[in-house]
Amino acid sequence: MHSARLSRRRFLKVAGVGGLVLVGGCSSSTTLPQPERASTRNDGPQQSFIEPEVIASSQGRLEVTLTATSAGDRLTYNDSSPGPTLYLRPGDQLVINLENRLSAPTNLHTHGLHVSPEGNSDNVFTTVSPGESRTYVYDIPEGHRSGLFWYHPHAHGNVAAQVAAGLAGAIIITDSLDDQPALAESTERLLILTDPSGADSGQMEQMVGREGAEILVNGVAQPQIDMRSGTRERWRVLNASTSRYYQLALDSHPFQVIGSDGGRLHQPRPVDRVLLAPGERTELVVTPASSGDFALRTLAYDRGSTAMGPMMGGGGGIDDSDHLIANTTTTGNSEPASLMMLVPGTEPIPELEPVVERTFELGMGM
């Protein structure tokens, strides 16, 4: 196995999720060629921000075993939810040995990677039965874009239930764009958003999807994030919920969006809120400039309760209220340097005059 590991096995009680949530990993550590990462410690009863275990490729290869197991009403990879974060470079080979210790069939999908969908690569039509295992091999192209991707089950009939119960983890591909001082000198954080304790299943879940009663960040409810003014924070954010939309906003702090599902943006885009649909990812830069306590929230967003109407049960089970995601505290009063324009990742698509115009009217009825 060619890999490098960072972090340790953690066992956390998370109130309200109806079971033991296992976060982190256990291994020896090594120095990784990546930006300064946020602390993975949880030093007291207050739940601090922590990150999943990190496993990085070495000499162009990363081989890892992911064991899918159950822990109460949660499902985990390697006793962790989310599973370990896999760091790769373009041109690397990723080998994942998936072991299924669940009571239902499962498989694996690498969401967003530009890899083969056939054979023993990203083939979602394969099935790994309970008690069986399968080895997946992914050859990352030399010119693969950098960014945040993720892995999760994709077995037909079990996808939503298994992802909602905790089977998900991040894949991060880095390249020369990440070596720029503006990014390399930032404090990097990965935020995987889930809402595992959910509403009852049934017609409402089939029609509009389920939403959990509590929102977790890397398996922790409302963690404490400590920042220093005069520094730059780089947040990679993944919506790993099956139905919930997150409209993120941080009190008194704008975001600089530097990447999305489509890759690195041509230049940073300032916004005061970011909307993430299920499975969507974004990369943000936060520059705290003054001391104080600031809340990271998801703002109210109606994802369809009005449009569904009373015949479809509109409104029941869809949560469109504000929620606290995390508490942040900034110390010091130093103004950070402005974020310089990034080395272009994707050139903007030129605007062309339309040749043909068509009108499509979309609708839904009983």
Side-chain angles (χ1 to χ4, degrees):
M1 178 181 297
H2 300 282
S3 62
R5 294 175 177 265
L6 176 67
S7 191
R8 77 279 300 164
R9 184 70 43 92
R10 260 193 207 3
F11 295 86
L12 296 177
K13 288 277 189 178
V14 178
V17 299
L20 182 66
V21 178
L22 311 176
V23 182
C26 179
S27 64
S28 59
S29 62
T30 186
T31 301
L32 301 179
Q34 60 189 56
E36 176 190 351
R37 298 197 63 81
S39 172
T40 57
R41 298 182 59 189
N42 191 352
D43 294 324
Q46 182 181 16
Q47 296 183 109
S48 301
F49 176 83
I50 64 173
E51 297 217 24
E53 175 189 16
V54 170
I55 308 177
S57 64
S58 175
Q59 300 178 354
R61 192 169 188 269
L62 192 162
E63 181 173 356
V64 61
T65 296
L66 295 179
T67 303
T69 58
S70 60
D73 64 349
R74 298 299 310 280
L75 302 182
T76 65
Y77 286 123
N78 297 0
D79 297 330
S80 174
S81 178
T85 300
L86 310 180
Y87 262 84
L88 298 150
R89 303 279 292 188
D92 283 351
Q93 183 180 74
L94 171 62
V95 179
I96 298 180
N97 304 303
L98 177 65
E99 298 180 349
N100 183 7
R101 297 183 184 173
L102 306 174
S103 59
T106 191
N107 63 8
L108 199 67
H109 169 52
T110 54
H111 193 126
L113 292 187
H114 291 193
V115 293
S116 171
E118 300 177 332
N120 64 341
S121 188
D122 196 37
N123 189 343
V124 298
F125 296 105
T126 62
T127 299
V128 183
S129 299
E132 295 184 351
S133 61
R134 179 181 179 85
T135 297
Y136 292 85
V137 180
Y138 310 93
D139 292 317
I140 312 298
E142 289 284 350
H144 200 290
R145 58 187 172 87
S146 60
L148 172 61
F149 310 90
W150 62 303
Y151 59 88
H152 60 80
H154 210 300
H156 180 69
N158 293 324
V159 179
Q162 292 183 354
V163 173
L167 288 185
I171 299 173
I172 295 177
I173 294 183
T174 62
D175 59 15
S176 59
L177 295 176
D178 298 275
D179 298 330
Q180 300 173 79
L183 297 182
E185 297 171 5
S186 301
T187 296
E188 183 178 327
R189 303 182 194 269
L190 170 66
L191 288 75
I192 300 180
L193 307 179
T194 58
D195 58 344
S197 54
D200 294 336
S201 60
Q203 183 181 16
M204 178 54 59
E205 181 172 339
Q206 295 295 323
M207 299 307 300
V208 298
R210 60 165 295 285
E211 288 187 349
E214 185 173 43
I215 297 172
L216 307 181
V217 181
N218 300 340
V220 175
Q222 300 178 4
Q224 173 67 39
I225 299 177
D226 294 324
M227 304 186 294
R228 300 189 309 274
S229 66
T231 63
R232 184 178 289 109
E233 296 258 337
R234 180 186 185 184
W235 293 1
R236 303 179 190 262
V237 188
L238 160 64
N239 179 358
S241 298
T242 56
S243 300
R244 185 184 294 274
Y245 282 58
Y246 295 94
Q247 188 167 212
L248 301 178
L250 178 62
D251 292 348
S252 304
H253 287 78
F255 295 127
Q256 294 276 350
V257 181
I258 63 172
S260 68
D261 288 358
R264 194 67 48 78
L265 300 187
H266 183 63
Q267 60 184 6
R269 180 166 58 90
V271 297
D272 60 1
R273 63 187 62 184
V274 176
L275 179 64
L276 294 179
E280 192 172 359
R281 293 92 66 202
T282 189
E283 294 188 34
L284 310 172
V285 170
V286 179
T287 53
S290 60
S291 61
D293 297 322
F294 309 97
L296 175 63
R297 309 177 190 276
T298 177
L299 304 180
Y301 181 79
D302 182 358
R303 66 177 178 90
S305 60
T306 302
M308 297 303 287
M311 289 186 64
M312 304 294 286
I318 296 181
D319 180 3
D320 58 2
S321 56
D322 291 2
H323 286 276
L324 177 66
I325 297 288
N327 299 288
T328 73
T329 299
T330 300
T331 56
N333 288 283
S334 299
E335 185 72 27
S338 61
L339 180 63
M340 301 299 292
M341 183 174 177
L342 301 172
V343 173
T346 303
E347 292 292 338
I349 299 175
E351 294 186 8
L352 302 176
E353 290 295 325
V355 177
V356 178
E357 293 188 4
R358 296 183 177 91
T359 299
F360 295 90
E361 294 185 2
L362 305 179
M364 183 178 67
M366 296 297 292

